[in-house]
Amino acid sequence: MPDLFQNIALGFSVAATWQNLGLCLFGCAVGTAIGVLPGIGPLTTMALILPVTFWLSPVGALIMLAGVFYGAQYGGSTTAILVKIPGETSSVVTILDGHAMAKQGRAGPALAIAALGSLFAGTVVTLLIAVAGPPLAAVALMFQSADYVSVMLLGLVSAVVLAHGSILKAIGMIVLGVLFGLVGTDVSTGDYRMTGGLDVLFDGIGFVPLSMGLFGLAEIMINLEEKTQARPAVLRVRELMPSRADFLRCLPAMVRGTAVGTAFGILPGGGPTIAAFSAYSLEKKVSRTPERFGQGAIEGVAAPETANNAAAQACFIPMLSLGVPPNALMALMIGAMMVHGITPGPEIITKQPVLFWGLIASMWIGNAMLVVLNLPLIGLWVRLLQMPYGYLFPSILVFCCIGTYTLNSSPAEVLIMTAFGVIGYVFRKLDCEPAPLLLGLVLGPMLEENFRRAMVLSGGDWSIFVTRPLSLGFLLAAAGLLVAVALPAIRKGREEAFRE
């Protein structure tokens, strides 16, 4: 325990420098803004900001990107409650009771509970990361190559099961992402593979141009297709502070929402959206008056808002302790680490303590900043929502091109970004979710490296994957997920849940 306090003190000494405080504030402000604006999202924004991190320190870059990620969960609730427009998909369920409360003249308590619930979840989960991270990393040091192969397969299978839409399309996206990750020079033989003779692909497909094209440019094309909508009517905010009865109703919902969000954040393929829907469903089932939900029940705001923020921060647990991203957003975080030459994995806590504990401390600081940013500045965020998209997309487009070019001063990478923008647009039209592709891109090279090492160590004996208990456990879990999702009843329930 003394070591924990010393490490947290180290983290605050790193996070509390003026530069890192400024980066945390910038990330939280940008995250809140893109949470307010529908159609952009943290994944797209983090892809756009990624080139900027090249000129920052590694810990500063991760602090800023993390602020964007969990900050977006705060911003989405403001517009969901006031104007019935979710800035983030994880805030969709907040509309049901949040907007109903706003129409009853209780927008203030709804917004306050959403912010305080998110702060509660962020504080608890950050403490969990601080406590559980080092022991998990110590356990991960016992992993061998075969175990890493199996845990990555479990992550890819989970991403397929929890992806929106068709399972076959999700599998196709994962496989395509893994294949894209294998383009370039074979690290063992030095041979070029799948490069088509193009010099720019000899070092592989760049993470930055692919992510910026797949999410940044494709998102612009999709948004420009949508018809221009009238400015939404904004409900007024009167009193902000919830009553004592509101707090008593919400406290158990916050605790349950934090638990649900943490579980879905750690789960490979999970994330804030699924956590928010699950927490709302759980709260409705355990309530003695379920008929109140959808009519302005304040627990219906507290549970999903707590869960989505808990999930957003719990995603860092497997990423920091195992080096395995549970979803596409964490894959982007790993991409930022790789840009700085940092290899993600369990040794990062011992070899990069300044980075790990600085990031942990910044989460506490960032969550406090977000409460200050969200409640007093509600009017500003709502006015931002009313900005026409025609003023927004040209700057995004220019930023994409400049960011991709300046990373390696390569015009060819701008062309690659453009190509993936078109590819991403086609995927969206075909209802193929591109996020699993990004996860496959990051995990593909790691999967190949560990698979080859396992084969070398075992002398080509494939039984190594089932004779090691850890590896066998992960493989059985992956097989169980595939069998479960293939069952007609579960498959039908999954489709109904995503459709809802």
Side-chain angles (χ1 to χ4, degrees):
M1 190 61 71
D3 287 344
L4 175 63
F5 291 130
Q6 290 174 4
N7 288 328
I8 291 175
L10 169 65
F12 275 104
S13 70
V14 174
T17 62
W18 286 111
Q19 182 184 10
N20 288 335
L21 282 174
L23 290 170
C24 184
L25 178 61
F26 176 78
C28 291
V30 170
T32 301
I34 60 103
V36 167
L37 291 168
I40 299 180
L43 190 58
T44 303
T45 307
M46 288 169 68
L48 296 176
I49 293 178
L50 198 57
V52 178
T53 64
F54 188 73
W55 289 276
L56 300 175
S57 66
V59 65
L62 290 183
I63 285 172
M64 183 177 69
L65 289 173
V68 172
F69 181 26
Y70 56 77
Q73 314 309 319
Y74 277 76
S77 63
T78 301
T79 51
I81 291 169
L82 292 181
V83 293
K84 204 178 180 181
I85 296 177
E88 272 301 294
T89 52
S90 57
S91 299
V92 169
V93 71
T94 306
I95 289 176
L96 299 176
D97 288 282
H99 191 64
M101 287 182 67
K103 289 195 292 186
Q104 297 164 10
R106 303 192 68 221
L111 289 166
I113 283 294
L116 294 174
S118 295
L119 176 63
F120 174 81
T123 302
V124 171
V125 175
T126 303
L127 180 62
L128 178 64
I129 299 172
V131 172
L136 280 175
V139 171
L141 288 172
M142 298 188 297
F143 279 33
Q144 293 187 8
S145 298
D147 306 322
Y148 271 111
V149 170
S150 299
V151 76
M152 282 186 269
L153 285 175
L154 174 60
L156 293 174
V157 168
S158 300
V160 167
V161 172
L162 295 176
H164 293 268
S166 165
I167 291 178
L168 288 178
K169 289 179 180 178
I171 292 173
M173 289 292 99
I174 287 281
V175 172
L176 196 58
V178 171
L179 290 176
F180 281 148
L182 300 181
V183 170
T185 305
D186 189 313
V187 292
S188 299
T189 64
D191 293 334
Y192 299 130
R193 57 188 184 187
M194 296 186 286
T195 62
L198 299 174
D199 295 355
V200 71
L201 296 179
F202 287 172
D203 290 328
I205 297 174
F207 184 85
V208 172
L210 182 142
S211 56
M212 292 181 78
L214 208 58
F215 297 98
L217 295 189
E219 197 70 40
I220 290 174
M221 295 184 220
I222 292 293
N223 286 331
L224 288 177
E225 274 193 343
E226 295 179 358
K227 295 180 180 178
T228 305
Q229 296 180 350
R231 292 188 176 187
V234 181
L235 295 172
R236 295 184 62 186
V237 179
R238 297 186 181 93
E239 295 180 1
L240 268 177
M241 285 306 297
S243 66
R244 184 172 179 273
D246 289 334
F247 275 118
L248 292 176
R249 283 183 181 276
C250 290
L251 188 57
M254 289 179 183
V255 173
R256 286 188 287 265
T258 301
V260 170
T262 302
F264 276 101
I266 297 173
L267 183 68
T273 302
I274 295 172
F277 275 89
S278 301
Y280 185 84
S281 299
L282 173 65
E283 209 56 38
K284 191 173 180 179
K285 285 179 181 177
V286 300
S287 174
R288 294 180 180 178
T289 54
E291 67 277 0
R292 293 172 48 251
F293 283 75
Q295 307 299 320
I298 197 165
E299 311 97 286
V301 176
E305 287 301 313
T306 307
N308 66 30
N309 199 267
Q313 293 186 216
C315 291
F316 286 87
I317 295 176
M319 192 273 280
L320 290 172
S321 58
L322 299 176
V324 177
N327 54 43
L329 283 153
M330 288 299 103
L332 270 171
M333 295 290 286
I334 284 184
M337 294 168 70
M338 290 177 171
V339 165
H340 287 274
I342 298 173
T343 302
E347 294 184 350
I348 197 171
I349 298 177
T350 54
K351 291 185 176 180
Q352 301 276 351
V354 169
L355 185 147
F356 178 81
W357 293 107
L359 178 61
I360 298 302
S362 77
M363 291 181 183
W364 273 308
I365 295 172
N367 276 280
M369 285 179 175
L370 282 163
V371 173
V372 176
L373 280 172
N374 275 266
L375 294 181
L377 301 179
I378 287 169
L380 172 64
W381 302 125
V382 171
R383 282 196 294 274
L384 181 64
L385 176 68
Q386 297 176 318
M387 180 190 299
Y389 191 71
Y391 296 151
L392 198 61
F393 86 84
S395 56
I396 296 176
L397 185 60
V398 170
F399 191 82
C400 285
C401 295
I402 292 175
T404 301
Y405 175 78
T406 54
L407 196 63
N408 293 309
S409 300
S410 172
E413 291 197 343
V414 178
L415 295 176
I416 291 175
M417 178 194 70
T418 306
F420 275 105
V422 175
I423 291 171
Y425 173 78
V426 173
F427 285 159
R428 294 283 293 274
K429 285 297 185 181
L430 296 175
D431 287 330
C432 295
E433 189 179 353
L437 187 151
L438 191 62
L439 194 62
L441 177 79
V442 172
L443 290 180
M446 298 165 62
L447 191 63
E448 180 195 25
E449 180 185 349
N450 283 284
F451 177 77
R452 284 185 167 186
R453 190 179 295 133
M455 288 292 94
V456 170
L457 291 174
S458 67
D461 185 3
W462 288 70
S463 66
I464 188 172
F465 296 107
V466 294
T467 53
R468 286 192 56 78
L470 277 173
S471 176
L472 178 62
F474 290 130
L475 288 177
L476 288 175
L481 277 177
L482 286 175
V483 170
V485 82
L487 296 175
I490 294 178
R491 187 171 67 248
K492 183 180 179 182
R494 172 185 177 275
E495 291 170 356
E496 288 176 354
F498 280 124
R499 187 162 51 248
E500 182 182 337

